[in-house]
Amino acid sequence: LDICMIHLEYPNELIEDDVNNETTDDSSEEEDFHRERFYLGETIQDSCRLLGGMQIVERIFQRMTAAAAASAIPKWQTIEACFYGLHSLTQYIPTDEHQTIPYTFEVLLKMPPNLDRLRFTSCVLIGKFANWLAKHPNKLQPLLPYLAQSLSVVTANTAGGGRRCAHAAAIAIKDLCEHIQMGTSVLELYLQLCGKLDIKDELEILEGVCKGIKEQDEQILSNTLLPQIIQPIGARFQAALMEPSVKKTIHEVDRLTVVIRFLRLPPAALLQVVEQSWPLLDSAGTIFSTDMGLSEKLCRFHKHALRTCGSHIYEPLLPNLMNRVVASFHSSHQAPYLYLASIVITEYSTRHPEQIMKMIMAMCQTSFGFLQNLQDMTDNPDVVEELFYCMGRLIKHCPRQLREVPDLVSSLVQCALISMGVYHREANRGTMDFLFHVVKWVEQENQRNFHHQLLPLLHCAQLVHNLVNSIMGRIPSYCVTGNNSGSVSRILYSLKELFGNNNAELETWIKQAISSSSAAPERAATEFVTIFGQKYQQQHDNNMNDFDMSVRKFRAACERHQKMGR
């Protein structure tokens, strides 16, 4: 422990560089030191597991008292290292500890205020001991001004140090609010600093405000506190749209999202906030329709609004949401709207399947309009990913409705067969996930005697050809084997189950795919086709594992064959 504490101290080289303005918080030396500190903190935690937490805390306390008694102004590196060691041990320190923690906060308040590294660690320490401070409110009072000062302090040392301190102070305030009902007083601080801090720090404080007033009376919350939070956001939002400034608009959407997520409003008040915000959100989506960042923020807001309200309370706004999703996707061609559509499917497929199908038909029509070939899909991999994840979710939640639109299923499968050639891991994963679900859907419909009607929708010959080429490495293959629903082997095995004992056509398609190139050695290809044609017993898991092993073996043989230059 003594060795660890010595190495936790900031080295003189970094401090001298600060004096000469030769380093910043982002320098490689600083990064290396922080990485080393992280592992030292883990080592101290391991020591607690061996010796007991309080024994380690006592040792750190002794080191801190010795440093503090050495001179009127203690060596700050030693004190800061003790602070760092303590905030690594919060889980081992009980809330009734009455010696080390009170003394630590006394020392903290006496240390020089203009050292950014010390102030940063001090702010982190306060946040880490939020649970302890909740049990000792008399110790909290002098620490709050320290945190407030840290939000706006510009330190004399390293570039960016003030920003780091402000961020640590913001998180500390949020942590305190989670344990202590101090949201009302923090709200005053937030309103004073709003627009003056980095937006990330501001959002942390706003989250703390929302969490810190969760136990307030509903009338007070709805009639007094809520307007204090929401009205400034609405005013700035309107000004940002008039300017127009996409950056400022994104900031206001972020603020609204934090309020919706963390302020525990009565359902009626929450719905009212969403309704009042709707015209502004709609205008933002229209004015900045091509901005990906704003699209992501808008969809994120609607997702949290829906989930926080609950699907039943949010239901009156559902038609507006669906219309906005369709219109925004049509004008922007951006993936976040497909993600939002998939959430709508999950929440409302049982109660509003017809409206969902109408929404999906419109979005698919838009998708097919600009995803017409491999190059289009390569240029829009995020859309490909979200489109097929959304369609996979549609298959799970609206299987009966899909039976009534076979042309849509056929078009989606054809689109997926093209997108299998996109060299993009996430796009490929979404595509393969959809193909697995659509094959399983046809298999389930087979049990309802719709098999012959739906089987042509899979374009089985081309699908098998692509799957085999994935194994042989001729087209992208990010997940060939495994229990993942989108693995090549899983889809092939599902096709084998779908065709049952009548899988002669499947074997023919596999042979044709293999023979169309020289990517596979003849012996390995023959062995793979033979294994594929075997009839399995009823134990599904063992059969799948055996088949997976055969695909893996065939894949390895193809890789060796290609490395040897055929």
Side-chain angles (χ1 to χ4, degrees), residues 130-198:
N131 192 34
W132 186 92
L133 287 166
K135 303 292 185 181
H136 304 81
N138 60 313
K139 300 295 183 183
L140 173 63
Q141 198 58 40
L143 296 174
L144 293 177
Y146 184 88
L147 292 175
Q149 293 166 8
S150 300
L151 290 171
S152 54
V153 69
V154 179
T155 55
N157 288 324
T158 60
R163 290 194 297 274
R164 292 179 69 240
C165 293
H167 187 62
I171 293 177
I173 291 171
K174 180 186 73 174
D175 291 340
L176 289 170
C177 288
E178 289 179 354
H179 293 86
I180 307 166
Q181 291 183 31
M182 50 185 283
T184 306
S185 58
V186 174
L187 176 58
E188 297 176 9
L189 175 67
Y190 167 76
L191 293 174
Q192 293 173 11
L193 295 174
C194 191
K196 301 176 183 177
L197 301 176
D198 185 275

Side-chain angles (χ1 to χ4, degrees), residues 86-87 90 93 101 105 124-134:
L86 283 174
H87 80 56
T90 50
I93 301 176
I101 307 308
F105 289 135
V124 173
L125 181 71
I126 294 171
K128 291 288 186 179
F129 282 98
N131 192 34
W132 186 92
L133 287 166

Side-chain angles (χ1 to χ4, degrees), residues 209-333:
V209 169
C210 294
K211 291 178 175 179
I213 59 179
K214 61 185 176 184
E215 302 297 335
Q216 292 282 349
D217 179 78
E218 288 189 0
Q219 288 295 324
I220 298 175
L221 180 58
S222 299
N223 298 333
T224 306
L225 297 176
L226 180 59
Q228 291 184 53
I229 300 172
I230 291 296
Q231 288 176 2
I233 295 176
R236 289 191 303 267
F237 204 150
Q238 271 189 320
L241 294 176
M242 293 291 291
E243 193 171 336
S245 169
V246 66
K247 180 180 179 180
K248 293 179 181 178
T249 301
I250 288 175
H251 290 175
E252 301 311 324
V253 175
D254 279 337
R255 292 182 179 107
L256 272 176
T257 303
V258 169
V259 174
I260 288 295
R261 288 184 68 187
F262 300 110
L263 188 60
R264 295 300 174 230
L265 293 167
L270 182 60
L271 190 65
Q272 187 178 13
V273 171
V274 179
E275 288 175 334
Q276 291 174 350
S277 307
W278 201 280
L280 294 171
L281 297 164
D282 262 6
S283 298
T286 302
I287 295 172
F288 307 110
S289 60
T290 59
D291 189 274
M292 172 63 82
L294 180 62
S295 297
E296 291 177 344
K297 299 295 186 179
L298 290 171
C299 291
R300 182 170 172 265
F301 170 85
H302 287 299
K303 174 187 75 173
H304 287 299
L306 197 163
R307 288 180 171 170
T308 306
C309 288
S311 59
H312 287 283
I313 294 172
Y314 190 90
E315 200 160 4
L317 298 178
L318 180 62
N320 289 342
L321 180 63
M322 288 183 167
N323 291 336
R324 171 45 56 188
V325 168
V326 171
S328 296
F329 183 64
H330 180 74
S331 62
S332 69
H333 298 172

